[in-house]
Amino acid sequence: MKTIIRPEKIVWQELCRRPVIGTANLDVQVKEIINQTRLRGDTALIEFSEKFDGCALTELQVSDDEIDEAAKTVPDKLKSAINSARRNIEFFHSLPVKGSKVAEITKGVTCWSREIAIEKVGLYVPGGSAPLFSTVLMLALPARIAGCHEIIVCTPPDSNGAVNPLILYAASVSGVTGIYRIGGAQAIAAMAYGTRTVPRVHKIFGPGNQFVTKAKELVQADGIAIDMPAGPSEVLIIADGFANPEFVAADLLAQAEHGPDSQVIMLTDNSMMIDSVTAELNLQLSRLKRKEIAERALDNSCLILMNSLDDCMEFSNHYAPEHLIIATSDPSTLAAGVINAGSVFLGEFSCESIGDYASGPNHTLPTNGYAKSYSGLSNESFMKKVFFQEVTKDGMISLGPVVEAMAGAEMLDAHQNAVTVRLKAINNE
Amino acid sequence: MKTIIRPEKIVWQELCRRPVIGTANLDVQVKEIINQTRLRGDTALIEFSEKFDGCALTELQVSDDEIDEAAKTVPDKLKSAINSARRNIEFFHSLPVKGSKVAEITKGVTCWSREIAIEKVGLYVPGGSAPLFSTVLMLALPARIAGCHEIIVCTPPDSNGAVNPLILYAASVSGVTGIYRIGGAQAIAAMAYGTRTVPRVHKIFGPGNQFVTKAKELVQADGIAIDMPAGPSEVLIIADGFANPEFVAADLLAQAEHGPDSQVIMLTDNSMMIDSVTAELNLQLSRLKRKEIAERALDNSCLILMNSLDDCMEFSNHYAPEHLIIATSDPSTLAAGVINAGSVFLGEFSCESIGDYASGPNHTLPTNGYAKSYSGLSNESFMKKVFFQEVTKDGMISLGPVVEAMAGAEMLDAHQNAVTVRLKAINNE
């Protein structure tokens, strides 16, 4: 963990740089996986499962029985925690989507828009050592609330071909319509192009390793919508002299344990905080199960003493953090200045873990500075807006000449003519 | 123009296929242009202008004087048409963005979201034979209404290095903050990465040729947001026996004149309409300035007799047209069934040209079936949503254990610990 004292603005750009993980040759490998999946469908998927997941599959889709059995293995206490989180996520994601108000733009011209659910969506849920069932809730609940008809999940099987029961349970309480034991780039290809077993979807969501990320990038270039570009997870904490160093350190470590490429930053206007947070970090780090991972993430990270809290916010907007924790005595005032961030946590009890699981807003958020242009997931991410317009005879009379003049100037005379034939017909009545 | 009678559902997929234009070697060429622009900035831009636009530039940015002079050359009638269109576009794009309502999710946990303008956006406006100044209005007005601070336009110069005065005039009345005489892939690269003269932006919008489209796709893969994937323009018209064949033919041709890769489709439940529209098409086509282009587009196109209007709508949702014109006696009933479309025009006076220029909704719409997952542009396309959450001590007491249980089950003990240290502190008070 580096400590940086009052950096000049000229070096901010450099300080905002994210850790980069090499991806040599990834492009070629992932293209080949996608091509094989497109060409040979289920057969290719079964071969890839053997190769990458080390399991011999016969059924790609998870059966209802398997899902029911999984639910029985989930302890009641955890079920109840999952359902509390589910209620909160549902609440926040059900806040009303902008109404499709009908507006009379000018006499005889009414326009409106309607938000309509994307019919088929695909959710990728990573496997690996920890079963990320919270990802299932965060992806499937907004899809269900938006009204998507088909909500499928792909997730890698273990070496016995089984899917983690917590993932199955979370899917079964979130409105998922089909679960497939497929991981990696081939899962993205299967959802993008469809196979005999896996339905083709219109938009793909969810985190994943670099193969998954590259596959999402490649299918996006082919016109399949994806949630957002991926990058390593990160937190930026603004702490003043009143912040609790124990809490700040715990929040930095919660982010750092995600992966060696995670980045955590603390900005403060109080030089004492640097020392006390450093001490707490050392104390808490030694107790963590994922100590090695967190340590490597801390190597990418820094504690920065700034001139003022306003400078902290300005730096934060420049960095555009995925998670921004404002641990100051008056967080609301500072929060009013937020321009670029994914999700913001105000005050000492609003830790990022609460947002990761259960406060309500989505935990799928723009990383890597993408918060400058991307939003976190919401039910709107699972919908698209369709415009409607209705022009009456009066509307044509008043607006037709405007269109004739503009289309004429753009030298598009068939555009002009579509209005002219109508104006003539009105005149000849 | 092909005529197809009552196609079986099995062939719908085939009928929904869009014309494809070959792009061999495009990838390599565009990557090189992007790399050169990133490496050598303005110098590369000036070389590319000489190579591709045939003009020797000294100033990349258009001066205020040049913009003022341009306004003087625009006829008053056209100025007034542009300003009528501007008023309507402003009206529609100013309809309220969803409020950032503060919701108490559970006791002590309040969450809300705020829509915040993207600070810097770049708009690409194609050059070529016709000056597409309507594109300037459709891109810049929602950006200004959203509240973007920096709204720059890149557009190719003519061989004298000049930019079309109509484009300059439209930019000057739409809140554009800087205009650069740069076209092609290099313009996209300049806006994505910045040069000495051209500011780097966070999101790039606008149509263009295949070089521009490929460049947008490549910078998107590098994390720069773009408006949506591009494809040839298209219209689908649903006409019943009451539709006016002259109007239908005029609307088909208005779309067909866009380019040889445009596609136009008419669906009807009335076989007489096929004959009468065909006759009108032949009549009107012969009079068009862009007859050759429209003819080639009609080669990709078809008139289809369906079994019923419901089947027409089902086919249309399958096709997901950029523009959908419902030319039937009761368009509202049919419009209720729209799932996939960019912009919908109801009734005989709602021709697509009106929407292209002046009814209010944006004309930047998803083509190529992308309406299944993408929306047309709106002021929200120029904003992103930031989540906020505030958890009090009570909120931590009630929700903390949920997070502890879930984080524990995901084996993320630093996440768990961030809650545990707070619960302990509360208990020790």
Side-chain angles (χ1 to χ4, degrees):
Chain A
M1 195 89 175
K2 286 180 283 292
T3 297
I4 296 160
I5 309 297
R6 303 185 201 281
E8 296 291 325
K9 274 205 186 170
I10 193 100
V11 301
W12 284 20
Q13 185 71 33
E14 179 60 32
L15 289 174
C16 287
R17 215 163 264 170
R18 289 359 190 230
V20 176
I21 282 193
T23 54
N25 210 27
L26 187 63
D27 215 271
V28 176
Q29 287 178 67
V30 174
K31 270 186 189 159
E32 180 58 17
I33 295 173
I34 292 177
N35 286 342
Q36 287 301 319
T37 306
R38 284 188 82 163
L39 279 172
R40 301 191 295 121
D42 288 354
T43 315
L45 291 177
I46 287 168
E47 286 173 20
F48 288 133
S49 290
E50 197 147 356
K51 183 171 173 190
F52 296 122
D53 305 311
C55 67
L57 292 183
T58 48
E59 288 298 328
L60 289 169
Q61 185 165 8
V62 176
S63 70
D64 288 347
D65 282 353
E66 198 170 337
I67 297 168
D68 292 344
E69 284 305 311
K72 292 181 194 155
T73 71
V74 179
D76 283 347
K77 196 183 150 195
L78 191 50
K79 271 189 187 157
S80 130
I82 289 175
N83 285 302
S84 294
R86 182 178 71 149
R87 262 196 313 279
N88 291 353
I89 299 167
E90 283 176 342
F91 188 143
F92 188 78
H93 288 81
S94 300
L95 294 175
V97 165
K98 177 164 32 291
S100 44
K101 221 181 93 178
V102 177
E104 181 159 35
I105 301 283
T106 186
K107 189 161 178 286
V109 181
T110 36
C111 299
W112 64 99
S113 64
R114 201 156 79 209
E115 305 252 7
I116 300 175
I118 298 171
E119 290 176 286
K120 300 172 186 196
V121 297
L123 317 179
Y124 187 80
V125 178
S129 49
L132 297 180
F133 59 90
S134 61
T135 302
V136 178
L137 301 179
M138 290 292 182
L139 299 177
L141 290 171
R144 203 209 61 214
I145 290 165
C148 302
H149 286 196
E150 203 156 353
I151 305 169
I152 67 166
V153 165
C154 280
T155 189
D158 65 19
S159 57
N160 300 316
V163 171
N164 185 288
L166 285 170
I167 288 177
L168 296 181
Y169 176 71
S172 72
V173 300
S174 304
V176 168
T177 59
I179 307 171
Y180 302 87
R181 48 182 120 249
I182 309 169
Q186 63 272 25
I188 303 304
M191 296 193 281
Y193 302 108
T195 72
R196 192 171 53 76
T197 305
V198 183
R200 178 183 181 150
V201 302
H202 303 318
K203 190 169 182 179
I204 297 173
F205 298 79
N209 63 17
Q210 53 180 349
F211 283 84
V212 169
T213 298
K214 175 57 79 175
K216 284 173 68 185
E217 176 194 313
L218 290 171
V219 302
Q220 180 183 39
D222 199 26
I224 289 95
I226 66 167
D227 46 1
M228 68 184 82
S233 197
E234 63 207 14
V235 69
L236 186 149
I237 304 180
I238 300 178
D240 65 8
F242 299 94
N244 182 326
E246 188 188 10
F247 297 178
V248 171
D251 291 346
L252 292 171
L253 289 172
Q255 187 55 54
E257 77 172 338
H258 269 298
D261 57 351
S262 287
Q263 190 173 55
V264 305
I265 290 177
M266 183 193 74
L267 307 178
T268 183
D269 64 343
N270 184 304
S271 62
M272 310 278 284
M273 278 303 288
I274 305 246
D275 298 334
S276 46
V277 168
T278 303
E280 271 293 337
L281 278 174
N282 293 331
L283 195 69
Q284 293 181 30
L285 182 62
S286 61
R287 299 188 209 124
L288 291 183
K289 286 192 197 120
R290 295 166 68 94
K291 178 168 180 274
E292 280 70 34
I293 292 174
E295 261 174 342
R296 284 174 60 197
L298 293 184
D299 288 343
N300 307 321
S301 301
C302 46
L303 309 174
I304 310 180
L305 178 67
M306 303 292 286
N307 289 317
S308 66
L309 288 178
D310 284 346
D311 268 13
C312 292
M313 186 48 75
E314 193 180 335
F315 184 97
S316 174
N317 283 327
H318 201 76
Y319 184 83
E322 180 190 12
H323 305 98
L324 168 61
I325 300 176
I326 307 183
T328 63
S329 56
D330 178 16
S332 299
T333 304
L334 217 49
V338 170
I339 299 172
N340 300 317
S343 197
V344 183
F345 301 78
L346 285 79
E348 63 177 342
F349 291 109
S350 307
C351 58
E352 189 206 309
S353 329
I354 279 213
D356 286 342
Y357 290 103
S359 59
N362 215 282
H363 77 195
T364 310
L365 299 166
T367 55
N368 203 34
Y370 300 138
K372 289 178 180 170
S373 50
Y374 287 91
S375 312
L377 281 199
S378 66
N379 50 353
E380 288 171 90
S381 313
F382 295 85
M383 307 174 104
K384 65 260 178 0
K385 199 195 297 281
V386 179
F387 303 137
F388 292 86
Q389 51 232 292
E390 187 156 24
V391 179
T392 65
K393 202 180 285 181
D394 281 346
M396 176 53 73
I397 291 168
S398 79
L399 211 50
V402 166
V403 174
E404 285 184 310
M406 291 176 73
E410 285 193 350
M411 297 187 249
L412 294 172
D413 69 331
H415 280 65
Q416 197 174 17
N417 189 51
V419 167
T420 307
V421 293
R422 286 168 166 94
L423 288 176
K424 271 193 190 146
I426 293 171
N427 283 332
N428 290 341
E429 266 174 11
Chain B
M1 195 89 174
K2 285 179 286 293
T3 299
I4 295 159
I5 310 296
R6 303 187 202 280
E8 296 291 325
K9 273 204 186 169
I10 193 102
V11 301
W12 284 18
Q13 186 72 33
E14 179 60 33
L15 289 173
C16 288
R17 215 163 264 170
R18 290 357 192 231
V20 176
I21 283 192
T23 54
N25 210 27
L26 187 63
D27 216 271
V28 177
Q29 286 178 67
V30 173
K31 271 186 187 159
E32 180 58 19
I33 295 172
I34 291 177
N35 286 341
Q36 287 301 319
T37 306
R38 283 188 84 162
L39 279 172
R40 302 191 295 119
D42 288 354
T43 315
L45 292 176
I46 286 168
E47 286 173 19
F48 287 132
S49 290
E50 197 146 356
K51 184 170 170 190
F52 296 122
D53 306 311
C55 67
L57 292 183
T58 47
E59 288 298 328
L60 289 169
Q61 184 165 10
V62 176
S63 69
D64 288 347
D65 282 354
E66 198 171 337
I67 297 168
D68 292 344
E69 284 306 311
K72 292 181 194 155
T73 71
V74 178
D76 283 346
K77 196 184 150 196
L78 191 51
K79 271 188 188 159
S80 130
I82 289 175
N83 285 302
S84 294
R86 182 177 72 148
R87 262 195 312 277
N88 292 353
I89 298 166
E90 283 176 342
F91 188 141
F92 187 78
H93 286 82
S94 301
L95 293 175
V97 166
K98 178 162 33 292
S100 43
K101 220 181 93 179
V102 177
E104 180 160 34
I105 302 284
T106 186
K107 189 160 179 283
V109 181
T110 37
C111 300
W112 64 99
S113 64
R114 200 155 80 208
E115 305 253 6
I116 300 175
I118 298 171
E119 290 175 286
K120 299 173 185 195
V121 297
L123 317 178
Y124 187 80
V125 178
S129 49
L132 297 180
F133 58 91
S134 61
T135 302
V136 178
L137 300 180
M138 290 292 181
L139 299 177
L141 290 172
R144 202 208 62 213
I145 290 164
C148 301
H149 287 195
E150 201 154 355
I151 305 169
I152 67 166
V153 165
C154 281
T155 189
D158 66 17
S159 57
N160 300 317
V163 170
N164 185 288
L166 284 170
I167 288 178
L168 296 182
Y169 177 70
S172 72
V173 299
S174 305
V176 168
T177 59
I179 306 170
Y180 302 87
R181 49 184 117 246
I182 309 169
Q186 63 271 26
I188 303 303
M191 294 193 282
Y193 302 107
T195 72
R196 192 171 52 76
T197 306
V198 183
R200 179 183 180 150
V201 301
H202 304 319
K203 190 169 182 179
I204 296 173
F205 299 78
N209 63 17
Q210 53 180 351
F211 284 84
V212 169
T213 298
K214 175 57 80 176
K216 283 172 68 185
E217 177 195 312
L218 290 171
V219 302
Q220 180 183 39
D222 199 26
I224 290 95
I226 67 168
D227 45 3
M228 68 185 82
S233 198
E234 65 209 12
V235 70
L236 186 148
I237 304 182
I238 299 178
D240 64 8
F242 297 94
N244 182 326
E246 188 188 11
F247 296 178
V248 172
D251 291 345
L252 292 171
L253 289 171
Q255 186 55 55
E257 77 171 338
H258 269 298
D261 57 352
S262 287
Q263 191 173 52
V264 305
I265 289 178
M266 183 192 74
L267 306 179
T268 183
D269 63 344
N270 184 305
S271 62
M272 309 278 283
M273 277 305 287
I274 305 248
D275 298 333
S276 46
V277 168
T278 304
E280 271 294 335
L281 277 173
N282 292 331
L283 197 69
Q284 292 182 29
L285 181 63
S286 62
R287 298 188 208 123
L288 291 183
K289 285 192 197 119
R290 294 166 69 94
K291 178 169 178 278
E292 280 71 32
I293 291 174
E295 259 173 343
R296 286 174 60 197
L298 293 183
D299 288 344
N300 307 322
S301 301
C302 48
L303 310 174
I304 309 181
L305 179 67
M306 303 293 286
N307 288 318
S308 67
L309 288 179
D310 284 345
D311 269 14
C312 292
M313 185 49 75
E314 193 181 336
F315 184 98
S316 174
N317 283 328
H318 201 78
Y319 184 82
E322 180 189 12
H323 305 97
L324 168 61
I325 300 178
I326 306 182
T328 64
S329 56
D330 177 17
S332 299
T333 303
L334 217 50
V338 170
I339 299 173
N340 300 317
S343 198
V344 184
F345 300 78
L346 284 79
E348 63 176 345
F349 292 110
S350 307
C351 59
E352 188 205 310
S353 327
I354 280 212
D356 285 342
Y357 291 104
S359 59
N362 215 282
H363 77 195
T364 311
L365 298 165
T367 56
N368 203 34
Y370 300 138
K372 289 178 181 170
S373 50
Y374 286 93
S375 313
L377 281 199
S378 67
N379 50 352
E380 287 171 89
S381 314
F382 296 85
M383 306 172 105
K384 66 262 175 9
K385 198 195 298 283
V386 179
F387 303 136
F388 292 84
Q389 52 231 291
E390 188 156 22
V391 179
T392 65
K393 203 180 286 182
D394 280 346
M396 176 53 73
I397 291 169
S398 80
L399 211 49
V402 167
V403 174
E404 285 183 311
M406 292 176 71
E410 286 193 352
M411 297 188 250
L412 294 172
D413 69 329
H415 280 65
Q416 196 175 17
N417 189 52
V419 168
T420 307
V421 293
R422 285 168 167 94
L423 288 175
K424 272 194 190 147
I426 293 171
N427 284 332
N428 291 339
E429 266 174 10

